[in-house]
């Protein structure tokens, strides 16, 4: 009778220790494909080093910090974003009626805390733990993490937060208090990336919802190559101008 190969030991990181090569992450035959290492800290140098190498933290309460580099990686090219007809009509109506405003970085901490408390299908808890919130607030204060906020009728109705290093955008999480509010924030991020010439948004996890929006899988090797190139580019000015909607609502890109 054949036996499954033993699971490789997971590297344990001490604070300040360099990450192992992403190619050493657990593979398809291991219990958690894409898991690279455990331990370390969530300080700014460690997070910047992680994102610069195609690595991200993701863990639950009671676990050590877990670091991942999945293969393949889910990515969204803004040019391939599928704007569903119903959302297009909703955005056009909100804008026509003067009810919708997109703001960037006005309420970052409110956004990340709202993401942490949003229930997810198939998840009993949240991975955005207090230590994660504190770490990404520090990234935001350093100009490396940003919130894209959907304000409806003068109230914060939804939004998302992301990390930006050079020309690379890493999507993290979204929340919504009103129908389509988080989708509006994602649409605004796509429009922003188009306006700024940013060709790729990292989505990390493969989900059917992201696929329906035009996201696709990219090999880890190709993703890391893209990251290295994007890091050499300057970061864009994080401000959303209403004219950016034209990049989403008036183009000839994919529709659904």
């Amino acid at each position: 009778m054949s036996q499954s190969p033993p699971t490789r030991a997971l590297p344990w990181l001490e604070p300040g220790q360099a990450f192992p090569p992403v190619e050493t992450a657990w593979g398809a035959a291991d219990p958690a494909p894409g898991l690279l290492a455990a331990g370390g800290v969530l300080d700014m140098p460690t997070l910047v080093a992680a994102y610069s190498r195609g690595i991200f933290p993701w863990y639950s309460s009671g676990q050590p910090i877990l670091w991942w580099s999945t293969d393949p990686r889910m990515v969204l090219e803004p040019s391939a974003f599928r704007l569903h007809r119903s959302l297009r009509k909703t955005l056009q109506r909100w804008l026509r009626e003067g009810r919708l405003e997109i703001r960037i970085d006005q309420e970052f901490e409110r956004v990340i805390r709202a993401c942490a408390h949003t229930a997810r299908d198939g998840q009993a808890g949240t991975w955005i733990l207090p230590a994660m919130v504190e770490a990404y607030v520090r990234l935001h204060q350093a100009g490396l993490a940003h919130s894209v906020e959907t304000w409806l009728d003068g109230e914060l109705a939804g939004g998302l937060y992301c990390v930006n290093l050079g020309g690379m955008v890493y999507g993290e999480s979204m929340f919504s208090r009103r129908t389509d509010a988080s989708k509006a924030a994602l649409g605004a991020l796509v429009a922003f990336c188009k306006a700024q010439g940013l060709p790729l948004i990292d989505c990390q996890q493969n989900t059917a919802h992201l696929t329906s929006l035009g996201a696709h899988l990219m090999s880890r090797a190709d993703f890391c190559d893209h990251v290295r190139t994007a890091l050499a580019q300057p970061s864009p000015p994080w401000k959303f101008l209403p004219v950016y909607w034209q990049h989403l609502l008036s183009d000839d890109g994919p529709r659904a």
Side-chain angles (χ1 to χ4, degrees):
M1 179 182 297
S2 62
Q3 295 182 344
S4 300
T7 300
R8 289 180 288 125
L10 187 66
W12 180 266
L13 301 179
E14 298 297 333
Q17 184 178 349
F19 288 100
V22 295
E23 295 80 11
T24 64
W26 282 2
D30 294 304
L35 184 56
L36 177 68
V41 290
L42 291 173
D43 63 9
M44 192 158 56
T46 302
L47 287 170
V48 170
Y51 282 102
S52 298
R53 292 164 175 76
I55 302 164
F56 60 93
W58 185 41
Y59 64 105
S60 300
S61 179
Q63 295 179 327
I65 301 172
L66 300 177
W67 301 93
W68 302 76
S69 183
T70 53
D71 188 15
R73 189 76 160 233
M74 197 70 167
V75 298
L76 174 61
E77 298 175 43
S79 61
F81 179 71
R82 296 190 192 123
L83 180 61
H84 292 260
R85 291 184 180 88
S86 60
L87 181 58
R88 178 184 294 272
K89 291 179 179 179
T90 296
L91 292 174
Q92 290 172 330
R93 185 180 75 253
W94 285 344
L95 290 168
R96 185 173 62 250
E97 296 172 351
R99 299 173 57 198
L100 171 63
E101 183 183 1
I102 297 296
R103 304 177 190 176
I104 288 182
D105 290 342
Q106 179 167 312
E107 295 286 354
F108 180 89
E109 190 164 347
R110 284 180 64 189
V111 168
I112 191 172
R113 291 189 183 280
C115 290
H117 290 95
T118 296
R120 317 282 178 184
D121 291 339
Q123 294 185 20
T126 180
W127 58 272
I128 310 175
L129 302 171
M132 292 280 275
V133 172
E134 294 174 6
Y136 284 81
V137 167
R138 288 194 296 269
L139 280 183
H140 167 66
Q141 292 169 342
L144 302 178
H146 303 278
S147 57
V148 180
E149 307 157 8
T150 300
W151 290 78
L152 278 176
D153 304 320
E155 296 182 352
L156 180 60
L160 60 83
Y161 73 98
C162 60
V163 172
N164 169 229
L165 300 177
M168 188 64 209
V169 175
Y170 308 83
E172 290 296 321
S173 187
M174 302 189 298
F175 83 98
S176 187
R177 291 174 179 154
R178 295 175 64 174
T179 302
D180 289 334
S182 61
K183 295 176 184 177
L186 178 58
L189 177 61
V190 168
F192 172 84
C193 288
K194 285 186 172 186
Q196 297 294 337
L198 304 175
L200 200 69
I201 300 170
D202 175 31
C203 301
Q204 298 176 352
Q205 302 293 329
N206 181 7
T207 69
H209 176 63
L210 287 169
T211 300
S212 74
L213 297 177
H216 65 91
L217 293 172
M218 174 183 284
S219 73
R220 179 168 57 212
D222 287 346
F223 176 76
C224 290
D225 283 344
H226 177 87
V227 169
R228 281 190 288 269
T229 300
L231 290 177
Q233 302 170 0
S235 296
W238 280 82
K239 182 178 181 180
F240 189 87
L241 303 178
V243 70
Y244 290 171
W245 283 120
Q246 296 179 8
H247 293 273
L248 189 72
L249 301 175
S250 303
D251 64 12
D252 297 321
R255 301 188 184 189

